[in-house]
């Protein structure tokens, strides 16, 4: 039933966009091409990134890799944990560490996955961080990984992390690769 409601909503919105909208706005070039609508224009998102410039790295990083975002299945954090476990297995002499910043319904499943893969001691779940605490945590992390399983239409986190001068590994699908 929810799938039918979702489809009805999308079809209604597309019908309105085709028949009544004077201009349709896309938040990325990817979105502009993925959802072609009449009179579509790309408007750059005025994202408030200035505060993230304060999160530029320290001399020594505490974490090699990190994720910042909501802990939901679409974000692909399970893929990140599985890949991180493989890296730890292949590079046994290295003491790699992963930081996961955020909250969401998948947190318990992700913690269980890290335990099951025997890397729980190397993975830190911080929960939600804001303000100076978030900037401080980001400054202690080296490489961001945003392994989204769905096609992100914009990806504001990538924009913020670029402002913090972080190297970022992103999914190639959606607008994340366009932003990076």
């Amino acid at each position: 039933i929810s799938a039918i409601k979702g489809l009805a909503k999308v079809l209604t919105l597309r019908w309105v966009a085709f028949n009544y909208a004077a201009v349709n706005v896309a938040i990325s070039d990817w979105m502009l091409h993925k959802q072609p609508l009449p009179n579509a224009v790309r408007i750059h998102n005025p994202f408030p990134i200035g505060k993230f410039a304060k999160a530029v790295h320290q001399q020594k990083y505490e974490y090699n890799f990190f994720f910042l975002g909501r802990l939901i299945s679409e974000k692909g954090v399970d893929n990140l944990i599985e890949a991180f476990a493989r890296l730890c297995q292949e590079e046994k002499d290295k003491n790699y560490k992963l930081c996961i910043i955020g909250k969401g319904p998948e947190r318990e499943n992700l913690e269980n996955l890290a335990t099951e893969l025997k890397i729980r001691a190397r993975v830190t779940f911080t929960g939600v961080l804001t303000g100076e605490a978030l900037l401080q945590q980001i400054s202690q992390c080296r490489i961001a990984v945003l392994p989204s399983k769905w096609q992100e239409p914009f990806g504001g986190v990538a924009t913020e992390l670029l402002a913090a001068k972080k190297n970022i590994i992103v999914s190639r699908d959606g607008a994340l690769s366009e932003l990076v």
Side-chain angles (χ1 to χ4, degrees):
I1 298 261
S2 65
I4 293 171
K5 286 181 181 177
L7 178 61
K9 181 180 176 182
V10 168
L11 291 176
T12 301
L13 290 173
R14 288 190 63 80
W15 182 81
V16 169
F18 272 92
N19 294 295
Y20 292 102
V23 176
N24 288 292
V25 175
I27 59 174
S28 63
D29 289 335
W30 175 84
M31 193 71 181
L32 184 67
H33 299 303
K34 186 69 173 178
Q35 298 288 331
L37 295 169
N39 303 318
V41 295
R42 161 69 154 97
I43 295 179
H44 292 274
N45 194 341
F47 221 75
I49 59 173
K51 69 179 180 180
F52 285 89
K54 297 177 189 174
V56 175
H57 77 81
Q58 302 175 2
Q59 292 289 24
K60 186 177 178 192
Y61 297 104
E62 184 174 346
Y63 299 94
N64 308 88
F65 304 98
F66 74 106
F67 170 85
L68 172 61
R70 290 183 339 161
L71 303 182
I72 57 174
S73 60
E74 297 92 291
K75 297 294 184 179
V77 182
D78 57 335
N79 289 349
L80 169 58
I81 291 172
E82 290 168 358
F84 182 72
R86 243 184 293 154
L87 176 67
C88 291
Q89 181 65 29
E90 290 173 9
E91 301 286 335
K92 291 180 181 171
D93 59 329
K94 308 267 183 179
N95 190 23
Y96 291 120
K97 291 174 74 180
L98 170 64
C99 181
I100 298 176
I101 306 167
K103 74 173 185 176
E106 286 296 308
R107 179 171 175 163
E108 185 177 342
N109 293 336
L110 296 170
E111 289 178 343
N112 291 339
L113 178 61
T115 300
E116 179 183 310
L117 295 172
K118 298 178 178 36
I119 58 166
R120 186 62 184 90
R122 294 176 175 228
V123 181
T124 299
F125 289 85
T126 67
V128 171
L129 298 174
T130 59
E132 288 300 316
L134 174 61
L135 299 178
Q136 180 61 31
Q137 189 68 39
I138 290 172
S139 73
Q140 295 176 22
C141 301
R142 186 167 186 194
I143 300 170
V145 184
L146 304 175
S148 188
K149 290 181 180 179
W150 79 298
Q151 298 178 339
E152 297 272 358
F154 183 72
V157 168
T159 305
E160 294 166 344
L161 295 176
L162 287 169
K165 298 187 174 162
K166 295 297 175 182
N167 293 313
I168 308 174
I169 299 170
V170 298
S171 170
R172 73 172 170 253
D173 297 329
L176 285 174
S177 61
E178 173 189 333
L179 290 170
V180 173

